[in-house]
């Protein structure tokens, strides 16, 4: 058996099997010493799973309680010690609210739930409604802990129905109990309705609900859920026609731009998006797949013919030195032009800013068949189509969608 330093020679390189052979008191002492690197202490915490020496618990709790210690170690220690009732008064103390270390608030709430602390219920339902996977998982784990300790009926009795996050938890419990949740498709909160369509698993019940649903939006959620179960495109299109081909109207949005955006972003849009977008994406034909290389050659040739001396196109990922997106950059005549991969769309990076004349680039590209995205068009918000963008999950502008980059 080697030393801990030998078993973890550098960050990310761990002899897991070797650590399991190290005796538990040695591992616990190593974890409890903040002088050791956190990236060595963390694997030692995991190697203590199921074998924490009782005499080591106070020292490990001291590490959890130290806001200056690495949050990675503290979070794993909380998981390790999640059955220690003596942690609960500390976890409930108001000072925990001022601990801003990454991920700690979620970890505190999760363990409070696992320890059966019903005073954490409302915070846990809020956490479980997060659109972020990590916080959502922590919230759901804490809620499951409360249910395990107190039973579903007791936990639900502590909740109202006014908050969407509380209704989302109720929906999850109904689904777990194999109850019909179709009525939740009419929930006024789209995140709840979206979860309900994911839970719906009876095609016949959904067909029946289409006749009784109180709103067009609820009918659309039902149609979307039904398509997910049957993949019957003919039935889905028939329902779409019967409902009057409902769609979100965006003023002054050209149909070619709309089609490009719908078929690129709707399949992965956020739960809070209007279901009209989802049905439109299913029931309308996508644009022909573009030949991006040919389009870039045409753009370069047009700019060259206009005497603008373009540089070779660079993808937005390469231009930003990380990430990816939906455009290439061509520098020409001192301007940075964006050429979309979603269709024949082009713009100047500084379109709309003072002094952003394009030195003939717009005219050259329009003559070559490109659709120039001017300031007004680019600033148009695509209403209720919610797309992830640098931490936000709301509607974006036409310009952000046609020329999208994410690191």
């Amino acid at each position: 058996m080697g030393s801990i330093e030998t078993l973890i020679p550098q960050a990310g390189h761990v002899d897991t099997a070797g650590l399991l052979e190290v005796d538990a008191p040695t591992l616990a002492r190593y974890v409890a010493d903040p002088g050791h690197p956190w990236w060595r202490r963390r694997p030692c915490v995991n190697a203590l799973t199921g074998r924490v020496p009782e005499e080591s618990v106070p020292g490990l709790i001291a590490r959890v309680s130290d806001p200056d210690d690495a949050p990675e170690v503290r979070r794993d220690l909380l998981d390790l010690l999640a059955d220690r009732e003596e942690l609960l008064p500390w976890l409930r103390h108001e000072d925990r609210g001022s601990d801003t270390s990454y991920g700690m608030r979620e970890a505190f709430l999760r363990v409070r739930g696992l320890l059966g602390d019903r005073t954490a219920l409302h915070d846990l339902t809020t956490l479980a409604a997060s659109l972020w996977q990590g916080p959502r998982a922590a919230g759901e784990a804490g809620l499951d802990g409360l249910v395990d300790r107190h039973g579903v009926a007791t936990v639900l009795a502590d909740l109202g129905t006014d908050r969407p996050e509380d209704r989302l938890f109720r929906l999850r419990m109904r689904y777990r109990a194999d109850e019909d949740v179709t009525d939740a498709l009419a929930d006024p909160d789209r995140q709840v309705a979206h979860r309900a369509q994911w839970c719906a698993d009876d095609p016949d019940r959904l067909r029946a609900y289409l006749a009784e649903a109180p709103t067009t939006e609820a009918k659309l959620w039902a149609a979307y859920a039904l398509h997910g179960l049957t993949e019957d495109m003919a039935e889905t299109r028939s329902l779409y026609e019967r409902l009057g081909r409902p769609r979100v109207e965006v003023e002054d949005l050209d149909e070619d731009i709309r089609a490009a955006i719908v078929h690129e972003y709707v399949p992965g849009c956020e739960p809070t998006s209007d279901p009209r977008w989802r049905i439109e994406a299913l029931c309308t034909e996508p644009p022909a797949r573009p030949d991006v290389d040919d389009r870039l050659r045409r753009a370069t040739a047009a700019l060259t013919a206009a005497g603008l001396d373009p540089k070779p196109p660079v993808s937005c990922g390469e231009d930003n030195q990380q990430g990816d997106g939906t455009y290439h950059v061509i520098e020409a005549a001192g301007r940075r032009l964006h050429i979309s991969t979603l269709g024949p769309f082009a713009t100047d990076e500084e379109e709309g800013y003072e002094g952003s004349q394009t030195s003939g680039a717009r005219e050259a590209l329009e003559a070559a068949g490109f659709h120039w995205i001017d300031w007004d068009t680019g600033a148009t918000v695509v209403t209720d189509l919610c797309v992830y963008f640098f931490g936000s999950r709301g509607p974006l502008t036409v310009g952000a969608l046609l020329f999208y980059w994410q690191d």
Side-chain angles (χ1 to χ4, degrees):
M1 181 183 68
S3 68
I4 290 174
E5 286 76 10
T6 301
L7 296 170
I8 315 173
Q10 55 185 304
H13 293 75
V14 181
D15 183 347
T16 302
L19 278 180
L20 292 175
E21 295 181 3
V22 177
D23 65 273
T26 298
L27 289 171
R29 284 193 297 272
Y30 196 91
V31 171
D33 183 352
H36 296 304
W38 71 266
W39 49 266
R40 281 198 173 111
R41 294 165 61 219
R42 189 180 190 187
C44 293
V45 175
N46 296 328
L48 279 169
T49 301
R51 56 183 187 129
V52 178
E54 187 65 28
E55 67 275 11
S56 301
V57 169
L60 297 177
I61 288 179
R63 294 295 90 231
V64 171
S65 306
D66 183 358
D68 294 326
D69 207 337
E72 294 86 352
V73 174
R74 297 175 70 204
R75 291 197 302 269
D76 284 3
L77 276 172
L78 271 175
D79 285 344
L80 184 71
L81 303 172
D83 60 345
R84 306 298 303 198
E85 300 286 344
E86 63 265 39
L87 274 172
L88 194 51
W90 178 81
L91 288 167
R92 295 178 63 175
H93 195 279
E94 62 182 12
D95 286 351
R96 302 294 78 73
S98 61
D99 190 329
T100 58
S101 301
Y102 181 74
M104 292 310 301
R105 177 181 177 275
E106 293 88 345
F108 296 151
L109 284 170
R110 175 181 178 275
V111 176
R112 284 174 65 186
L114 294 174
L115 290 172
D117 179 10
R118 288 164 62 184
T119 67
L121 175 59
H122 287 85
D123 286 336
L124 281 168
T125 56
T126 299
L127 192 62
S130 173
L131 294 174
W132 293 91
Q133 182 177 353
R136 182 172 66 251
E140 290 183 349
L143 290 169
D144 289 346
L146 289 178
V147 169
D148 290 344
R149 291 269 188 146
H150 304 291
V152 175
T154 298
V155 175
L156 290 179
D158 290 341
L159 284 179
T161 58
D162 291 341
R163 300 195 316 157
E165 50 266 52
D166 295 343
R167 299 197 300 275
L168 195 62
F169 173 63
R170 289 180 177 276
L171 172 64
R172 190 161 72 92
M173 293 299 99
R174 290 173 61 193
Y175 176 68
R176 181 180 290 181
D178 202 27
E179 297 178 14
D180 177 22
V181 298
T182 313
D183 62 304
L185 294 168
D187 195 283
D189 184 87
R190 285 183 181 142
Q191 188 177 350
V192 178
H194 178 269
R195 180 70 68 89
Q197 68 79 29
W198 182 87
C199 293
D201 57 6
D202 184 340
D204 291 336
R205 176 68 186 104
L206 286 168
R207 291 187 183 99
Y209 182 75
L210 280 161
E212 65 190 56
T215 65
T216 297
E217 189 156 317
K219 293 177 189 290
L220 288 168
W221 282 120
Y224 186 68
L226 181 61
H227 181 85
L229 294 173
T230 68
E231 298 185 349
D232 185 339
M233 200 64 252
E235 182 178 30
T236 304
R237 287 200 175 103
S238 175
L239 291 171
Y240 182 51
E241 295 293 337
R242 190 191 313 168
L243 292 171
R245 299 172 62 89
R247 71 178 201 167
V248 178
E249 296 297 343
V250 181
E251 188 175 359
D252 298 326
L253 182 62
D254 291 351
E255 290 301 316
D256 59 337
I257 297 175
R258 183 186 185 102
I261 288 173
V262 163
H263 290 281
E264 174 68 16
Y265 293 101
V266 171
C269 67
E270 295 295 317
T272 47
S273 297
D274 192 311
R276 291 166 179 80
W277 289 115
R278 300 176 189 276
I279 300 298
E280 180 177 342
L282 288 174
C283 296
T284 59
E285 291 297 321
R289 290 184 63 84
D291 185 335
V292 174
D293 290 339
D294 179 67
R295 181 175 298 144
L296 293 172
R297 283 192 293 269
R298 288 194 295 111
T300 301
L303 295 168
T304 300
L308 300 180
D309 192 26
K311 293 182 180 179
V314 175
S315 71
C316 60
E318 183 179 352
D319 183 63
N320 287 286
Q321 299 183 336
Q322 60 182 331
D324 198 7
T326 64
Y327 68 95
H328 287 74
V329 178
I330 299 179
E331 295 188 25
R335 312 305 304 170
R336 286 170 52 85
L337 307 172
H338 290 186
I339 309 297
S340 179
T341 63
L342 303 186
F345 311 115
T347 195
D348 186 319
E349 183 173 87
E350 297 185 7
E351 171 71 40
Y353 291 93
E354 184 178 356
S356 63
Q357 294 84 3
T358 56
S359 305
R362 174 175 182 170
E363 294 76 10
L365 290 171
E366 286 183 329
F370 285 85
H371 184 155
W372 187 263
I373 306 301
D374 61 20
W375 173 257
D376 288 337
T377 300
T380 299
V381 175
V382 182
T383 314
D384 288 332
L385 176 57
C386 302
V387 176
Y388 181 82
F389 185 66
F390 287 96
S392 72
R393 297 176 183 271
L396 298 178
T397 63
V398 166
L401 292 167
L402 292 182
F403 311 104
Y404 179 95
W405 172 71
Q406 179 69 51
D407 66 8

